[in-house]
Amino acid sequence: MGEADQRRECGRWASAQLRRREMAAATSGARRCRLSKVGPGRRPPPARVRVAVRLRPFVDGTAGTSDSPCVRGLDSCSLEIANWRNHQETLKYQFDAFYGERSSQQDIYAGSVQPILRHLLEGQNASVLAYGPTGAGKTHTMLGSPEQPGVIPRALMDLLQLTREEGAEGRPWALSVTMSYLEIYQEKVLDLLDPASGDLVIREDCRGNILIPGLMQKPITSFVDFERHFLPASRNRTVGATRLNQRSSRSHAVLLVKVDQRERLAPFRQREGKLYLIDLAGSEDNRRTGNKGLRLKESGAINTSLFVLGKVVDALNQGLPRVPYRDSKLTRLLQDSLGGSAHSILIANIAPERRFYLDTVSALNFAARSKEVINRPFTNESLQLHVMAPVNLSQNELLGPLEAKRARGPEEEEIGSPEPTAAPASASQKLSPLQKLSSIDPAMLERLLSLDRLLGSQGSQGAPLLSTPRRERMVLMKTVEEKDLEIERLKMKQKELEAKVLAQEVADPKEKENCAPTVLRPLARRTVTVAKPLKKAVVMPLQLIQEQAALPNAEIHILKKKGRKRKLESLDASEPEEKAEDCWELQISQELLAHGRQKILDLLNEGSARDLRSLQRIGQKKAQLIVGWRELHGPFSQVEDLERVEGMSKKQMESFLKANILDLAAGPRSSPS
């Protein structure tokens, strides 16, 4: 190889190394910026569902030669299980974390759950799900025991500590924590904190957030508060004895912890983060559990909801247009956790015994599919609108009662409200920084003070309107002054326009009558008139008019115009004014009437049922009745004989003649098909 070739190879190697460094820097930067604030119009960054598998140890009395283990861990992220089709091969799975038989509760919590708690302080959602067959240790993983606490007590202890640190005095945010606890038992949502509430409904707000109206929320400030509410509620959860477990969970339990944050200074933002801690009921094989009666019904509801959960995961992985969240209450509640806006952790619990081989393989396959689900967490942030309200108050609304009384004067004081209410002492102390402003209405002052007392009675959730900080108060005073100056300018401009209009009216009164006035004035006189009736006219067929016009010496007077006078009454007129109004009167020649009646009579005597249906107000049933009467009694002698056939009254006969006489006089018309 020559020297030139060596230089080219060195250049390629250097450029390849540079590209690797740039890609590594970009990847690390993407990892660091994953939780950064997403700009407007951009989609939130994706976050894959993280899956951890926990292998429980052998239960006492089951280990032995007759029941050998079928699962073995390879490292901290992978495991292998025997292949039931070929005993000489194994199936290997790889997840985000694998915890073997000797793993402790602290290892699982610190390795998988603790890192997601920070997202709650950023206004994002998080969820932890315990999945697996019955007897695999899901409840032990989530609750634990007094000696070995599980995920739920450890997460609440750390979360309350974080909120105390972040919400301390001097920090920009004030934090509060509330908890709710519910179970899904046989497709019914039951509140464990309030068992008497009955079946609750699951709703979705305008922003797509899942909520449960009527679900009780308990505020907690310490772990002692949490235990005081959680332990009695846990005893309300539905459990039952089976062959595999003496205290088998018969429902899905969901602990919802909500973290509310409010910014202490402008712009007074508000954030909300939710933590879902879910202990799912295990799938059951009724042949091994021996379920009968009520236990069999509970098992069917559990397996159905878990089957729908698998369908949801498959639909998300395949990118189907419809994800069946609404097919089950469980999947409806997990809409944020799977394919939604939460940082989700799935802890799949499995058993090592060979007799649980099929359940273990099913749980591992579900965990492998769930690992491909993509969520898109975002920050739930909004503005606290009721804190911004004082900026819109006018200068007159921020004064004390004494200054308002002096500014109003004695005359306005007599005209004013008869019983002005004095402000209480506590309210006057709040108003002390704003006492130097001028003119306020006492009624408006009382309304402000009532609103301030109402918000103050809400504790930390309320924000006092009148005791604003110095910086916000100065901004408020400046805004009020600017608004007052603008109002004064508008008043001066209005006065100038009014003076200009008055001068124009005095200079040229005739021009004022022709042009539209700028300033609207009340009318000196108003005329009240009676409403005119609608003009009515009867339109004759064109064929009839043409046929009549063709006859010699034919006079056609169908509509005649007549004049009628009406009196108009005025408020200040001494003599009534008369005005002629046009109206129309119908006049039909006798020859035309006779011709139409003869046409109807001929049609009644000679026409078929199909021809009779061409007459108006004659249908199929009446046409058959007329034909039958004609066959029995002979032809009709006059049109009025139709009254005996159909039993029509005189009024109905007149209506029948008016509807048909003009059409038949105009000439033949086609019968309906």
Side-chain angles (χ1 to χ4, degrees), residues 121-135:
L121 302 182
E122 298 172 359
Q124 299 180 0
N125 299 336
S127 62
V128 180
L129 297 91
Y131 181 87
T134 181

mmCIF file of all heavy atoms in Angstrom, residues 121-135:
data_model
loop_
_atom_site.group_PDB
_atom_site.id
_atom_site.type_symbol
_atom_site.label_atom_id
_atom_site.label_comp_id
_atom_site.label_asym_id
_atom_site.label_seq_id
_atom_site.Cartn_x
_atom_site.Cartn_y
_atom_site.Cartn_z
ATOM 1 N N LEU A 121 -43.548 16.208 39.754
ATOM 2 C CA LEU A 121 -43.271 17.603 40.101
ATOM 3 C C LEU A 121 -43.158 18.484 38.864
ATOM 4 O O LEU A 121 -43.125 19.708 38.988
ATOM 5 C CB LEU A 121 -41.984 17.686 40.926
ATOM 6 C CG LEU A 121 -41.981 16.867 42.219
ATOM 7 C CD1 LEU A 121 -40.672 17.068 42.969
ATOM 8 C CD2 LEU A 121 -43.153 17.235 43.100
ATOM 9 N N GLU A 122 -43.080 17.878 37.682
ATOM 10 C CA GLU A 122 -43.050 18.641 36.443
ATOM 11 C C GLU A 122 -44.435 18.724 35.800
ATOM 12 O O GLU A 122 -44.566 19.176 34.660
ATOM 13 C CB GLU A 122 -42.059 18.001 35.467
ATOM 14 C CG GLU A 122 -40.629 17.987 35.993
ATOM 15 C CD GLU A 122 -39.700 17.180 35.106
ATOM 16 O OE1 GLU A 122 -40.200 16.628 34.098
ATOM 17 O OE2 GLU A 122 -38.515 17.099 35.405
ATOM 18 N N GLY A 123 -45.460 18.266 36.515
ATOM 19 C CA GLY A 123 -46.812 18.320 35.982
ATOM 20 C C GLY A 123 -47.145 17.210 35.015
ATOM 21 O O GLY A 123 -48.079 17.351 34.212
ATOM 22 N N GLN A 124 -46.438 16.081 35.064
ATOM 23 C CA GLN A 124 -46.693 14.964 34.168
ATOM 24 C C GLN A 124 -47.268 13.785 34.950
ATOM 25 O O GLN A 124 -47.154 13.725 36.176
ATOM 26 C CB GLN A 124 -45.411 14.544 33.446
ATOM 27 C CG GLN A 124 -44.818 15.649 32.585
ATOM 28 C CD GLN A 124 -43.558 15.216 31.868
ATOM 29 O OE1 GLN A 124 -43.108 14.086 32.001
ATOM 30 N NE2 GLN A 124 -42.968 16.127 31.103
ATOM 31 N N ASN A 125 -47.880 12.839 34.222
ATOM 32 C CA ASN A 125 -48.511 11.673 34.834
ATOM 33 C C ASN A 125 -47.566 10.483 34.823
ATOM 34 O O ASN A 125 -46.675 10.385 33.970
ATOM 35 C CB ASN A 125 -49.806 11.314 34.094
ATOM 36 C CG ASN A 125 -50.825 12.430 34.129
ATOM 37 O OD1 ASN A 125 -50.803 13.270 35.024
ATOM 38 N ND2 ASN A 125 -51.729 12.443 33.174
ATOM 39 N N ALA A 126 -47.783 9.569 35.767
ATOM 40 C CA ALA A 126 -46.994 8.342 35.863
ATOM 41 C C ALA A 126 -47.895 7.230 36.381
ATOM 42 O O ALA A 126 -48.888 7.494 37.071
ATOM 43 C CB ALA A 126 -45.785 8.531 36.785
ATOM 44 N N SER A 127 -47.548 5.993 36.044
ATOM 45 C CA SER A 127 -48.348 4.852 36.484
ATOM 46 C C SER A 127 -47.454 3.641 36.669
ATOM 47 O O SER A 127 -46.461 3.464 35.949
ATOM 48 C CB SER A 127 -49.459 4.533 35.466
ATOM 49 O OG SER A 127 -48.898 4.183 34.219
ATOM 50 N N VAL A 128 -47.813 2.808 37.658
ATOM 51 C CA VAL A 128 -47.108 1.558 37.963
ATOM 52 C C VAL A 128 -48.165 0.462 37.996
ATOM 53 O O VAL A 128 -49.138 0.550 38.753
ATOM 54 C CB VAL A 128 -46.356 1.640 39.304
ATOM 55 C CG1 VAL A 128 -45.634 0.333 39.582
ATOM 56 C CG2 VAL A 128 -45.382 2.810 39.307
ATOM 57 N N LEU A 129 -47.983 -0.585 37.168
ATOM 58 C CA LEU A 129 -48.940 -1.684 37.080
ATOM 59 C C LEU A 129 -48.262 -2.971 37.508
ATOM 60 O O LEU A 129 -47.143 -3.262 37.063
ATOM 61 C CB LEU A 129 -49.481 -1.851 35.655
ATOM 62 C CG LEU A 129 -50.291 -0.719 35.042
ATOM 63 C CD1 LEU A 129 -49.373 0.247 34.292
ATOM 64 C CD2 LEU A 129 -51.317 -1.265 34.051
ATOM 65 N N ALA A 130 -48.931 -3.736 38.346
ATOM 66 C CA ALA A 130 -48.469 -5.073 38.737
ATOM 67 C C ALA A 130 -49.328 -6.086 38.008
ATOM 68 O O ALA A 130 -50.539 -6.157 38.215
ATOM 69 C CB ALA A 130 -48.575 -5.253 40.248
ATOM 70 N N TYR A 131 -48.693 -6.897 37.134
ATOM 71 C CA TYR A 131 -49.409 -7.847 36.277
ATOM 72 C C TYR A 131 -48.871 -9.243 36.530
ATOM 73 O O TYR A 131 -47.696 -9.421 36.872
ATOM 74 C CB TYR A 131 -49.224 -7.460 34.806
ATOM 75 C CG TYR A 131 -49.939 -8.359 33.826
ATOM 76 C CD1 TYR A 131 -51.249 -8.131 33.473
ATOM 77 C CD2 TYR A 131 -49.280 -9.457 33.261
ATOM 78 C CE1 TYR A 131 -51.909 -8.957 32.578
ATOM 79 C CE2 TYR A 131 -49.929 -10.284 32.362
ATOM 80 C CZ TYR A 131 -51.245 -10.035 32.019
ATOM 81 O OH TYR A 131 -51.899 -10.857 31.148
ATOM 82 N N GLY A 132 -49.737 -10.249 36.336
ATOM 83 C CA GLY A 132 -49.298 -11.624 36.459
ATOM 84 C C GLY A 132 -50.426 -12.548 36.835
ATOM 85 O O GLY A 132 -51.535 -12.107 37.180
ATOM 86 N N PRO A 133 -50.178 -13.870 36.801
ATOM 87 C CA PRO A 133 -51.230 -14.832 37.167
ATOM 88 C C PRO A 133 -51.500 -14.811 38.660
ATOM 89 O O PRO A 133 -50.757 -14.208 39.452
ATOM 90 C CB PRO A 133 -50.656 -16.175 36.711
ATOM 91 C CG PRO A 133 -49.184 -15.976 36.736
ATOM 92 C CD PRO A 133 -48.944 -14.541 36.377
ATOM 93 N N THR A 134 -52.577 -15.454 39.067
ATOM 94 C CA THR A 134 -52.923 -15.495 40.482
ATOM 95 C C THR A 134 -51.861 -16.262 41.266
ATOM 96 O O THR A 134 -51.338 -17.289 40.819
ATOM 97 C CB THR A 134 -54.306 -16.150 40.657
ATOM 98 O OG1 THR A 134 -54.634 -16.165 42.032
ATOM 99 C CG2 THR A 134 -54.334 -17.557 40.101
ATOM 100 N N GLY A 135 -51.535 -15.751 42.437
ATOM 101 C CA GLY A 135 -50.529 -16.373 43.281
ATOM 102 C C GLY A 135 -49.099 -16.055 42.910
ATOM 103 O O GLY A 135 -48.172 -16.660 43.459
#
